Every structure is written in C-alpha cells, then in structure tokens.
C-alpha cells in the first residue's frame, strides 16, 4: 500500500514536471506570438498612415488648387473693397483654415453670392462670343 502511494506520488510529480515544461513552452510560444502580433500591428498602422497621407495629400492638393482658383477669381476680387469696408472673410483668415473648410467658407459667404450676377453675365457673354 505504501509502495502504491509512493509510485502514485512519483507519477504525479513527473506529470506535474511535464505539465510545467509544456506550460513553459506554451508561455514562450505565447510571448513570441504576442511579439509577432505587435510587429504586425505596427506595420499595419504604418502602412495605413502612409496610405491615408497619400490620399489626404492628393485631396488636399485638389482643395488647395480650388481655393487658389476661387481667391484669384474676378468674383472674389470684385467683392474685395466691400469685404474690407464691411468686414468678411479675408485671405489671411481663410489661409488659417484647412483648404476644404476655406473653400466652403468662400462659397457660403454672402460676398460670393453677391457676385453671382456678375458670374452669370460673364458666362453669357463668353457663350455669345463663341
């Protein structure tokens, strides 16, 4: 009976040692997998940021070109004296905004709306000349 208990104790100790070794290997494998996961996530984030920067850069370029066209337009320059006299969106304030927001501010301004008849007349004259 004591011999059986001794064999049982030795068997359990051996099983525990094998389980501890397996758990240690699993822990090491888990740590390696987590490190790989971190590397993959960092690479994914880097690629996503690069893609977003590329797309945003192209869009920002289009918005900047559109804003430059609006600010150099005859409609905007005709309203300059009125904007200086009565206040309104000026180029320095618009330059502080993101290009998309600045385009929106120009197109939503009362000064742009006031120049609408001039733009319409200019288009009609241009069509008539053709």
């Amino acid at each position: 009976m004591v011999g059986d208990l001794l064999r049982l104790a030795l068997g359990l100790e051996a099983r525990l040692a094998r389980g501890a070794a397996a758990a240690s290997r699993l822990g090491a494998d888990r740590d390696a997998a987590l490190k790989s996961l971190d590397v993959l996530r960092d690479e994914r984030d880097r690629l996503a940021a690069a893609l977003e920067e590329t797309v945003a850069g192209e869009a920002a370029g289009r918005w900047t070109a559109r804003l430059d066209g609006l600010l150099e337009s005859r409609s905007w320059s005709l309203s300059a004296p009125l904007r200086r006299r009565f206040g309104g969106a000026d180029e320095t304030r618009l330059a502080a905004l993101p290009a998309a927001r600045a385009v929106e501010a120009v197109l939503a301004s009362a000064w742009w709306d006031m120049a609408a008849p001039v733009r319409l007349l200019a288009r009609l004259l241009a069509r008539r000349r053709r």
Side-chain angles (χ1 to χ4, degrees), residues 19-78:
S24 176
R25 282 192 310 274
L26 288 176
D29 291 346
R30 180 180 155 270
D31 291 343
L34 288 175
K35 286 179 185 176
S36 296
L37 180 63
D38 287 341
V39 168
L40 289 173
R41 282 183 177 157
D42 290 344
E43 182 66 12
R44 180 203 60 195
D45 293 345
R46 185 189 68 76
L47 290 173
L51 177 63
E52 184 176 316
E53 184 178 306
T54 301
V55 172
E58 291 172 2
R62 287 192 299 268
W63 283 112
T64 302
R66 176 110 191 256
L67 178 62
D68 290 344
L70 289 173
L71 294 179
E72 292 171 4
S73 69
R74 183 163 288 155
S75 298
W76 193 251
S77 63
L78 286 175

Side-chain angles (χ1 to χ4, degrees), residues 77-92:
S77 63
L78 286 175
S79 68
L82 293 173
R83 283 185 284 120
R84 279 193 294 272
R85 172 93 170 122
F86 297 108
D90 61 344
E91 283 79 7
T92 57

Side-chain angles (χ1 to χ4, degrees), residues 119-129:
R119 287 192 306 274
L120 179 63
L121 184 59
R123 279 192 206 122
L124 290 174
L125 290 174
R127 285 183 187 162
R128 191 162 203 215
R129 288 181 193 156

